[in-house]
Amino acid sequence: MLARVTRVVSARRVPLGMRGYSGRTEGSVAQTKEFGKKERAHEDEYARRHDAELLRKLKAEVDKKKKELADLEAKVEEHEQTK
């Protein structure tokens, strides 16, 4: 009987992987100031790159439309000269 009680008590031990850690709770790294600053810097860098890419695409589209407009104006002039 004593052996049975000992087995039950020893089976209730906390596994090593579930031990508590001193001072920090799960996810506390994300709450530190340095991590927040670093994360914000990465987000700002991504936003700047994204905006620069959008601006580059828009400028390319504007140049394309200017060329298209110049071609249409040339066609209009050609058409008016043939009259």
Side-chain angles (χ1 to χ4, degrees), residues 10-21:
S10 63
R12 292 183 184 170
R13 288 185 184 170
V14 177
L16 290 177
M18 298 185 74
R19 287 196 301 182
Y21 295 96

Side-chain angles (χ1 to χ4, degrees), residues 36-49:
K37 288 179 183 178
K38 184 177 180 180
E39 186 178 13
R40 192 173 313 115
H42 283 292
E43 289 174 356
D44 290 345
E45 181 181 353
Y46 171 79
R48 281 192 302 272
R49 285 184 181 178

